Amino acid sequence: MLDEEPGRKRRRQWVHPIIAQRLQKGQFHTLFNDLRQDPNKFKAYCRMSMEAFDHLLVSLYPDLSFQDTSMRRCISPEQRLIVTLRFLATGNSFASLHFEFLLGISTISGIVCHTCKVIWQHLREAVMPTPKAEDWLRIAEGFYQSAQFPNCIGALDGKHIRVKKPPHSGSRYFNYKQYFSVVLMALADSNYKFVIVDIGAYGSTSDSRIFSASRMGERLQTNQLALPEPSRLPGSAGPPAPFVIVADEGFALSPHMMRPFPRRDLDDRKRIFNYRLTRARRYVECAFGILSSKWRVFMSSIQMNPDNATLVIQACVLLHNFTRIHDASTDADLGLNMTTPVSLDLGRPGRPGTAGLAVREIYADYFCSPEGALSWQLDAIRGRR
């Protein structure tokens, strides 16, 4: 008989007696069928309807299926998906899920990472495809109808996702909010869906630098995003205006990127532009809020290394879009009323870029013209509403 490896703890049992009762007492085997009898409880448990869950399961089934062996039965695709959704929906630790589902901690960790990777591989083209010119036009129409901001192809912002400090990482992940994070940079449409995302940048890096270094930023700078040709603003006889992204003062001004006027020397015209831009920009902030509210893994620090945390974020972004499409969420579901006034973001003092100044002037003039003005905008910027 071979000697045991020195220093290695001898395993006392192949399967712990508690885990051996998984088929009789595990949460999946005792609760899943009962949940399917109550659509509301099922949606609260999985964060999606039964119809959406079944559609998702069919899409992922081939890559979540494994063969039984002579040693043990494999874990079914249904259970793998449920375990992953519960982790994303609650943010519970793997140790906590271990006692709920009676699966090993390392088994749960492997299931979550593998399922998140499969979600990214299978859903990306279905729920977040690369936009084409007709997609940008549809998004722009949505912003015009919802936020009265014409030629707007998306609202851009970054969200810091809290993670545990990676070993030997110094201060690279330490952000200005005084915690360790990776950044989710996202462009959202007026239906709170994510159009393009960049995930995994160091928390210490500014939004502007992350965007400039991202594939999205590079493609925008080199005119490779298939944007529509500039067009006149609705009802205007002025010069054609390029299609633009709206963002906050953390991003650089450019012909396709609009940011607020700085705080200094603000007159009514500039305040109106800032107000109108803020009404459009808040859609990405609301999208982040919906994402965190539904997938509560974002409510605390993700106890994974950055690579695996990125897999989790990618999966949540796609599941966010997936449920927006298949469960037909409405503003009422979110507790939002998008016709109410918003607080005015005046911006911080700073040096704007020069290339986009003329474009910003076109929009500022339009918002003060009879064709582009809103009846309540003056009251909004003067605090009377």
Side-chain angles (χ1 to χ4, degrees), residues 46-84:
C46 295
R47 297 298 195 268
M48 62 181 66
S49 66
M50 281 191 289
E51 293 78 10
F53 176 86
D54 292 339
H55 182 90
L56 178 62
L57 181 62
V58 169
S59 300
L60 308 183
Y61 199 93
D63 284 338
L64 295 184
S65 300
F66 294 84
Q67 289 186 343
D68 294 334
T69 69
S70 59
M71 302 294 292
R72 66 183 68 187
R73 292 176 57 184
C74 69
I75 300 170
S76 67
E78 292 89 343
Q79 186 169 3
R80 288 174 174 273
L81 184 54
I82 285 291
V83 169
T84 303

Side-chain angles (χ1 to χ4, degrees), residues 317-336:
V317 165
L318 294 187
L319 290 172
H320 169 90
N321 280 10
F322 179 82
T323 55
R324 298 294 302 171
I325 295 169
H326 290 275
D327 287 340
S329 299
T330 64
D331 292 348
D333 299 326
L334 317 175
L336 302 174

Side-chain angles (χ1 to χ4, degrees), residues 84-123:
T84 303
L85 291 179
R86 285 304 290 169
F87 171 72
L88 301 180
T90 64
N92 288 348
S93 66
F94 293 151
S96 176
L97 295 174
H98 156 71
F99 289 107
E100 295 173 12
F101 290 95
L102 302 186
L103 292 166
I105 294 176
S106 61
T107 301
I108 291 175
S109 174
I111 287 173
V112 169
C113 292
H114 176 257
T115 305
C116 286
K117 185 182 296 185
V118 170
I119 288 173
W120 180 255
Q121 292 171 347
H122 282 263
L123 287 190

Side-chain angles (χ1 to χ4, degrees), residues 126-181:
V127 303
M128 198 173 63
T130 301
K132 301 177 182 178
E134 55 269 26
D135 299 316
W136 294 124
L137 289 172
R138 175 182 49 79
I139 293 171
E141 179 62 22
F143 272 102
Y144 182 60
Q145 295 298 327
S146 301
Q148 294 75 52
F149 199 113
N151 286 19
C152 176
I153 57 170
L156 179 71
D157 203 359
K159 177 178 176 60
H160 287 272
I161 308 297
R162 192 186 296 262
V163 297
K164 73 174 183 179
K165 182 184 182 298
H168 315 297
S169 62
S171 60
R172 286 177 295 179
Y173 290 91
F174 195 68
N175 64 37
Y176 72 97
K177 298 181 179 181
Q178 308 299 303
Y179 60 82
F180 296 94
S181 66

Side-chain angles (χ1 to χ4, degrees), residues 156 208 211-212 217 220-223 227 242-248 251-260 273 277 351-361 363:
L156 179 71
S208 183
F211 179 74
S212 297
L220 181 66
Q221 294 168 8
T222 55
N223 296 319
L227 298 183
F243 286 79
V244 297
I245 293 169
V246 293
D248 62 20
F251 295 86
L253 186 69
S254 74
H256 293 291
M257 179 76 72
M258 292 292 100
R259 54 170 280 175
F273 174 85
L277 182 140
R351 175 179 294 178
T354 57
L357 286 172
V359 175
R360 186 164 64 179
E361 292 298 319
Y363 281 92

